[in-house]
PDB file of all heavy atoms in Angstrom:
ATOM      1  N   ASP A   1     129.907-105.373 -96.426  1.00  0.00           N
ATOM      2  CA  ASP A   1     130.976-104.446 -96.716  1.00  0.00           C
ATOM      3  C   ASP A   1     130.879-103.372 -95.639  1.00  0.00           C
ATOM      4  O   ASP A   1     130.077-102.449 -95.744  1.00  0.00           O
ATOM      5  CB  ASP A   1     130.843-103.848 -98.112  1.00  0.00           C
ATOM      6  CG  ASP A   1     132.012-102.969 -98.491  1.00  0.00           C
ATOM      7  OD1 ASP A   1     132.662-102.404 -97.601  1.00  0.00           O
ATOM      8  OD2 ASP A   1     132.283-102.841 -99.701  1.00  0.00           O
ATOM      9  N   LYS A   2     131.681-103.515 -94.591  1.00  0.00           N
ATOM     10  CA  LYS A   2     131.570-102.619 -93.444  1.00  0.00           C
ATOM     11  C   LYS A   2     131.892-101.175 -93.805  1.00  0.00           C
ATOM     12  O   LYS A   2     131.261-100.253 -93.285  1.00  0.00           O
ATOM     13  CB  LYS A   2     132.491-103.097 -92.320  1.00  0.00           C
ATOM     14  CG  LYS A   2     132.092-104.430 -91.711  1.00  0.00           C
ATOM     15  CD  LYS A   2     133.041-104.818 -90.591  1.00  0.00           C
ATOM     16  CE  LYS A   2     132.649-106.147 -89.973  1.00  0.00           C
ATOM     17  NZ  LYS A   2     133.578-106.535 -88.888  1.00  0.00           N
ATOM     18  N   ALA A   3     132.863-100.972 -94.675  1.00  0.00           N
ATOM     19  CA  ALA A   3     133.263 -99.622 -95.048  1.00  0.00           C
ATOM     20  C   ALA A   3     132.146 -98.881 -95.769  1.00  0.00           C
ATOM     21  O   ALA A   3     132.054 -97.654 -95.677  1.00  0.00           O
ATOM     22  CB  ALA A   3     134.515 -99.657 -95.915  1.00  0.00           C
ATOM     23  N   ARG A   4     131.311 -99.598 -96.491  1.00  0.00           N
ATOM     24  CA  ARG A   4     130.222 -98.986 -97.243  1.00  0.00           C
ATOM     25  C   ARG A   4     128.866 -99.148 -96.572  1.00  0.00           C
ATOM     26  O   ARG A   4     127.851 -98.761 -97.146  1.00  0.00           O
ATOM     27  CB  ARG A   4     130.171 -99.576 -98.647  1.00  0.00           C
ATOM     28  CG  ARG A   4     131.434 -99.326 -99.461  1.00  0.00           C
ATOM     29  CD  ARG A   4     131.366 -99.995-100.815  1.00  0.00           C
ATOM     30  NE  ARG A   4     132.582 -99.766-101.587  1.00  0.00           N
ATOM     31  CZ  ARG A   4     132.811-100.275-102.784  1.00  0.00           C
ATOM     32  NH1 ARG A   4     131.905-101.053-103.361  1.00  0.00           N
ATOM     33  NH2 ARG A   4     133.945-100.017-103.413  1.00  0.00           N
ATOM     34  N   ASN A   5     128.845 -99.711 -95.357  1.00  0.00           N
ATOM     35  CA  ASN A   5     127.598 -99.946 -94.627  1.00  0.00           C
ATOM     36  C   ASN A   5     126.573-100.682 -95.491  1.00  0.00           C
ATOM     37  O   ASN A   5     125.391-100.318 -95.538  1.00  0.00           O
ATOM     38  CB  ASN A   5     127.005 -98.634 -94.116  1.00  0.00           C
ATOM     39  CG  ASN A   5     127.633 -98.163 -92.828  1.00  0.00           C
ATOM     40  OD1 ASN A   5     128.359 -98.899 -92.168  1.00  0.00           O
ATOM     41  ND2 ASN A   5     127.354 -96.919 -92.454  1.00  0.00           N
ATOM     42  N   THR A   6     127.034-101.727 -96.147  1.00  0.00           N
ATOM     43  CA  THR A   6     126.183-102.459 -97.073  1.00  0.00           C
ATOM     44  C   THR A   6     126.135-103.935 -96.711  1.00  0.00           C
ATOM     45  O   THR A   6     127.172-104.556 -96.465  1.00  0.00           O
ATOM     46  CB  THR A   6     126.670-102.300 -98.516  1.00  0.00           C
ATOM     47  OG1 THR A   6     126.717-100.910 -98.854  1.00  0.00           O
ATOM     48  CG2 THR A   6     125.733-103.008 -99.479  1.00  0.00           C
ATOM     49  N   LEU A   7     124.945-104.475 -96.685  1.00  0.00           N
ATOM     50  CA  LEU A   7     124.693-105.894 -96.476  1.00  0.00           C
ATOM     51  C   LEU A   7     124.300-106.515 -97.807  1.00  0.00           C
ATOM     52  O   LEU A   7     123.534-105.930 -98.575  1.00  0.00           O
ATOM     53  CB  LEU A   7     123.574-106.087 -95.457  1.00  0.00           C
ATOM     54  CG  LEU A   7     123.180-107.527 -95.118  1.00  0.00           C
ATOM     55  CD1 LEU A   7     124.218-108.158 -94.197  1.00  0.00           C
ATOM     56  CD2 LEU A   7     121.792-107.562 -94.478  1.00  0.00           C
ATOM     57  N   TYR A   8     124.807-107.711 -98.077  1.00  0.00           N
ATOM     58  CA  TYR A   8     124.510-108.411 -99.320  1.00  0.00           C
ATOM     59  C   TYR A   8     123.888-109.769 -99.033  1.00  0.00           C
ATOM     60  O   TYR A   8     124.148-110.390 -98.007  1.00  0.00           O
ATOM     61  CB  TYR A   8     125.770-108.629-100.151  1.00  0.00           C
ATOM     62  CG  TYR A   8     126.483-107.373-100.559  1.00  0.00           C
ATOM     63  CD1 TYR A   8     127.601-106.929 -99.863  1.00  0.00           C
ATOM     64  CD2 TYR A   8     126.036-106.627-101.644  1.00  0.00           C
ATOM     65  CE1 TYR A   8     128.261-105.781-100.237  1.00  0.00           C
ATOM     66  CE2 TYR A   8     126.692-105.472-102.023  1.00  0.00           C
ATOM     67  CZ  TYR A   8     127.805-105.053-101.323  1.00  0.00           C
ATOM     68  OH  TYR A   8     128.459-103.907-101.700  1.00  0.00           O
ATOM     69  N   LEU A   9     123.087-110.216 -99.976  1.00  0.00           N
ATOM     70  CA  LEU A   9     122.621-111.590 -99.989  1.00  0.00           C
ATOM     71  C   LEU A   9     122.843-112.138-101.390  1.00  0.00           C
ATOM     72  O   LEU A   9     122.217-111.671-102.346  1.00  0.00           O
ATOM     73  CB  LEU A   9     121.145-111.706 -99.607  1.00  0.00           C
ATOM     74  CG  LEU A   9     120.610-113.129 -99.495  1.00  0.00           C
ATOM     75  CD1 LEU A   9     121.222-113.837 -98.278  1.00  0.00           C
ATOM     76  CD2 LEU A   9     119.085-113.149 -99.394  1.00  0.00           C
ATOM     77  N   GLN A  10     123.751-113.098-101.504  1.00  0.00           N
ATOM     78  CA  GLN A  10     124.016-113.763-102.767  1.00  0.00           C
ATOM     79  C   GLN A  10     123.104-114.974-102.878  1.00  0.00           C
ATOM     80  O   GLN A  10     123.159-115.872-102.037  1.00  0.00           O
ATOM     81  CB  GLN A  10     125.483-114.190-102.850  1.00  0.00           C
ATOM     82  CG  GLN A  10     125.854-114.947-104.116  1.00  0.00           C
ATOM     83  CD  GLN A  10     125.856-114.059-105.335  1.00  0.00           C
ATOM     84  OE1 GLN A  10     126.268-112.906-105.263  1.00  0.00           O
ATOM     85  NE2 GLN A  10     125.394-114.591-106.456  1.00  0.00           N
ATOM     86  N   LEU A  11     122.273-114.990-103.902  1.00  0.00           N
ATOM     87  CA  LEU A  11     121.348-116.087-104.135  1.00  0.00           C
ATOM     88  C   LEU A  11     121.861-116.908-105.310  1.00  0.00           C
ATOM     89  O   LEU A  11     121.947-116.407-106.425  1.00  0.00           O
ATOM     90  CB  LEU A  11     119.941-115.592-104.447  1.00  0.00           C
ATOM     91  CG  LEU A  11     119.109-114.928-103.346  1.00  0.00           C
ATOM     92  CD1 LEU A  11     119.635-113.544-102.994  1.00  0.00           C
ATOM     93  CD2 LEU A  11     117.655-114.820-103.797  1.00  0.00           C
ATOM     94  N   ASN A  12     122.199-118.158-105.062  1.00  0.00           N
ATOM     95  CA  ASN A  12     122.643-119.073-106.100  1.00  0.00           C
ATOM     96  C   ASN A  12     121.648-120.209-106.257  1.00  0.00           C
ATOM     97  O   ASN A  12     120.943-120.568-105.319  1.00  0.00           O
ATOM     98  CB  ASN A  12     124.028-119.641-105.772  1.00  0.00           C
ATOM     99  CG  ASN A  12     125.118-118.603-105.784  1.00  0.00           C
ATOM    100  OD1 ASN A  12     125.035-117.605-106.501  1.00  0.00           O
ATOM    101  ND2 ASN A  12     126.163-118.838-105.003  1.00  0.00           N
ATOM    102  N   SER A  13     121.631-120.783-107.454  1.00  0.00           N
ATOM    103  CA  SER A  13     120.761-121.931-107.737  1.00  0.00           C
ATOM    104  C   SER A  13     119.328-121.674-107.288  1.00  0.00           C
ATOM    105  O   SER A  13     118.720-122.491-106.600  1.00  0.00           O
ATOM    106  CB  SER A  13     121.321-123.189-107.068  1.00  0.00           C
ATOM    107  OG  SER A  13     122.634-123.468-107.501  1.00  0.00           O
ATOM    108  N   VAL A  14     118.780-120.545-107.694  1.00  0.00           N
ATOM    109  CA  VAL A  14     117.461-120.152-107.219  1.00  0.00           C
ATOM    110  C   VAL A  14     116.388-121.107-107.739  1.00  0.00           C
ATOM    111  O   VAL A  14     116.518-121.699-108.811  1.00  0.00           O
ATOM    112  CB  VAL A  14     117.121-118.705-107.602  1.00  0.00           C
ATOM    113  CG1 VAL A  14     118.065-117.746-106.890  1.00  0.00           C
ATOM    114  CG2 VAL A  14     117.173-118.506-109.109  1.00  0.00           C
ATOM    115  N   ARG A  15     115.346-121.236-106.961  1.00  0.00           N
ATOM    116  CA  ARG A  15     114.204-122.083-107.266  1.00  0.00           C
ATOM    117  C   ARG A  15     112.938-121.242-107.272  1.00  0.00           C
ATOM    118  O   ARG A  15     112.921-120.133-106.746  1.00  0.00           O
ATOM    119  CB  ARG A  15     114.078-123.197-106.223  1.00  0.00           C
ATOM    120  CG  ARG A  15     115.342-123.999-106.005  1.00  0.00           C
ATOM    121  CD  ARG A  15     115.273-124.773-104.709  1.00  0.00           C
ATOM    122  NE  ARG A  15     116.482-125.549-104.460  1.00  0.00           N
ATOM    123  CZ  ARG A  15     116.784-126.118-103.302  1.00  0.00           C
ATOM    124  NH1 ARG A  15     115.955-126.020-102.269  1.00  0.00           N
ATOM    125  NH2 ARG A  15     117.912-126.802-103.176  1.00  0.00           N
ATOM    126  N   SER A  16     111.874-121.787-107.832  1.00  0.00           N
ATOM    127  CA  SER A  16     110.621-121.052-107.888  1.00  0.00           C
ATOM    128  C   SER A  16     110.118-120.687-106.495  1.00  0.00           C
ATOM    129  O   SER A  16     109.517-119.625-106.309  1.00  0.00           O
ATOM    130  CB  SER A  16     109.555-121.847-108.640  1.00  0.00           C
ATOM    131  OG  SER A  16     109.317-123.101-108.024  1.00  0.00           O
ATOM    132  N   GLU A  17     110.385-121.525-105.512  1.00  0.00           N
ATOM    133  CA  GLU A  17     109.944-121.250-104.154  1.00  0.00           C
ATOM    134  C   GLU A  17     110.730-120.128-103.484  1.00  0.00           C
ATOM    135  O   GLU A  17     110.388-119.708-102.377  1.00  0.00           O
ATOM    136  CB  GLU A  17     109.993-122.514-103.284  1.00  0.00           C
ATOM    137  CG  GLU A  17     111.351-123.193-103.240  1.00  0.00           C
ATOM    138  CD  GLU A  17     111.460-124.358-104.208  1.00  0.00           C
ATOM    139  OE1 GLU A  17     110.930-124.249-105.331  1.00  0.00           O
ATOM    140  OE2 GLU A  17     112.076-125.376-103.839  1.00  0.00           O
ATOM    141  N   ASP A  18     111.791-119.638-104.138  1.00  0.00           N
ATOM    142  CA  ASP A  18     112.513-118.476-103.637  1.00  0.00           C
ATOM    143  C   ASP A  18     111.829-117.170-104.009  1.00  0.00           C
ATOM    144  O   ASP A  18     112.248-116.100-103.554  1.00  0.00           O
ATOM    145  CB  ASP A  18     113.952-118.463-104.162  1.00  0.00           C
ATOM    146  CG  ASP A  18     114.779-119.625-103.649  1.00  0.00           C
ATOM    147  OD1 ASP A  18     114.626-119.997-102.467  1.00  0.00           O
ATOM    148  OD2 ASP A  18     115.589-120.159-104.431  1.00  0.00           O
ATOM    149  N   THR A  19     110.801-117.233-104.838  1.00  0.00           N
ATOM    150  CA  THR A  19     110.068-116.040-105.226  1.00  0.00           C
ATOM    151  C   THR A  19     109.437-115.389-104.000  1.00  0.00           C
ATOM    152  O   THR A  19     108.680-116.019-103.268  1.00  0.00           O
ATOM    153  CB  THR A  19     108.983-116.380-106.250  1.00  0.00           C
ATOM    154  OG1 THR A  19     109.594-116.834-107.464  1.00  0.00           O
ATOM    155  CG2 THR A  19     108.120-115.166-106.557  1.00  0.00           C
ATOM    156  N   ALA A  20     109.762-114.122-103.771  1.00  0.00           N
ATOM    157  CA  ALA A  20     109.278-113.407-102.592  1.00  0.00           C
ATOM    158  C   ALA A  20     109.782-111.974-102.637  1.00  0.00           C
ATOM    159  O   ALA A  20     110.653-111.629-103.434  1.00  0.00           O
ATOM    160  CB  ALA A  20     109.764-114.075-101.302  1.00  0.00           C
ATOM    161  N   VAL A  21     109.222-111.146-101.765  1.00  0.00           N
ATOM    162  CA  VAL A  21     109.809-109.849-101.475  1.00  0.00           C
ATOM    163  C   VAL A  21     110.842-110.058-100.380  1.00  0.00           C
ATOM    164  O   VAL A  21     110.537-110.624 -99.331  1.00  0.00           O
ATOM    165  CB  VAL A  21     108.756-108.823-101.030  1.00  0.00           C
ATOM    166  CG1 VAL A  21     109.425-107.496-100.670  1.00  0.00           C
ATOM    167  CG2 VAL A  21     107.720-108.612-102.127  1.00  0.00           C
ATOM    168  N   TYR A  22     112.051-109.602-100.627  1.00  0.00           N
ATOM    169  CA  TYR A  22     113.148-109.769 -99.681  1.00  0.00           C
ATOM    170  C   TYR A  22     113.380-108.467 -98.933  1.00  0.00           C
ATOM    171  O   TYR A  22     113.501-107.401 -99.543  1.00  0.00           O
ATOM    172  CB  TYR A  22     114.422-110.206-100.405  1.00  0.00           C
ATOM    173  CG  TYR A  22     114.399-111.655-100.811  1.00  0.00           C
ATOM    174  CD1 TYR A  22     113.582-112.086-101.850  1.00  0.00           C
ATOM    175  CD2 TYR A  22     115.174-112.601-100.144  1.00  0.00           C
ATOM    176  CE1 TYR A  22     113.536-113.425-102.209  1.00  0.00           C
ATOM    177  CE2 TYR A  22     115.146-113.932-100.497  1.00  0.00           C
ATOM    178  CZ  TYR A  22     114.320-114.339-101.532  1.00  0.00           C
ATOM    179  OH  TYR A  22     114.286-115.667-101.894  1.00  0.00           O
ATOM    180  N   TYR A  23     113.449-108.560 -97.602  1.00  0.00           N
ATOM    181  CA  TYR A  23     113.624-107.414 -96.729  1.00  0.00           C
ATOM    182  C   TYR A  23     114.899-107.559 -95.909  1.00  0.00           C
ATOM    183  O   TYR A  23     115.233-108.653 -95.468  1.00  0.00           O
ATOM    184  CB  TYR A  23     112.462-107.296 -95.736  1.00  0.00           C
ATOM    185  CG  TYR A  23     111.095-107.137 -96.348  1.00  0.00           C
ATOM    186  CD1 TYR A  23     110.328-108.248 -96.672  1.00  0.00           C
ATOM    187  CD2 TYR A  23     110.561-105.874 -96.574  1.00  0.00           C
ATOM    188  CE1 TYR A  23     109.066-108.110 -97.221  1.00  0.00           C
ATOM    189  CE2 TYR A  23     109.301-105.733 -97.119  1.00  0.00           C
ATOM    190  CZ  TYR A  23     108.558-106.849 -97.440  1.00  0.00           C
ATOM    191  OH  TYR A  23     107.303-106.706 -97.975  1.00  0.00           O
ATOM    192  N   CYS A  24     115.584-106.453 -95.670  1.00  0.00           N
ATOM    193  CA  CYS A  24     116.633-106.460 -94.668  1.00  0.00           C
ATOM    194  C   CYS A  24     116.103-105.829 -93.388  1.00  0.00           C
ATOM    195  O   CYS A  24     115.199-104.991 -93.412  1.00  0.00           O
ATOM    196  CB  CYS A  24     117.913-105.767 -95.147  1.00  0.00           C
ATOM    197  SG  CYS A  24     117.765-104.016 -95.541  1.00  0.00           S
ATOM    198  N   ALA A  25     116.649-106.263 -92.268  1.00  0.00           N
ATOM    199  CA  ALA A  25     116.215-105.803 -90.962  1.00  0.00           C
ATOM    200  C   ALA A  25     117.427-105.608 -90.067  1.00  0.00           C
ATOM    201  O   ALA A  25     118.399-106.364 -90.163  1.00  0.00           O
ATOM    202  CB  ALA A  25     115.248-106.804 -90.329  1.00  0.00           C
ATOM    203  N   ALA A  26     117.360-104.614 -89.179  1.00  0.00           N
ATOM    204  CA  ALA A  26     118.483-104.266 -88.322  1.00  0.00           C
ATOM    205  C   ALA A  26     118.074-104.282 -86.859  1.00  0.00           C
ATOM    206  O   ALA A  26     117.002-103.788 -86.499  1.00  0.00           O
ATOM    207  CB  ALA A  26     119.034-102.890 -88.684  1.00  0.00           C
ATOM    208  N   GLY A  27     118.932-104.828 -86.022  1.00  0.00           N
ATOM    209  CA  GLY A  27     118.713-104.859 -84.592  1.00  0.00           C
ATOM    210  C   GLY A  27     120.009-104.675 -83.838  1.00  0.00           C
ATOM    211  O   GLY A  27     121.089-104.653 -84.428  1.00  0.00           O
TER     212      GLY A  27
END
């Protein structure tokens, strides 16, 4: 959402192996 300076990650059909700390990074 460029107007709100927000990045999203939609996670669907999650699995146990998706368990983690999720980080965003900018470059």
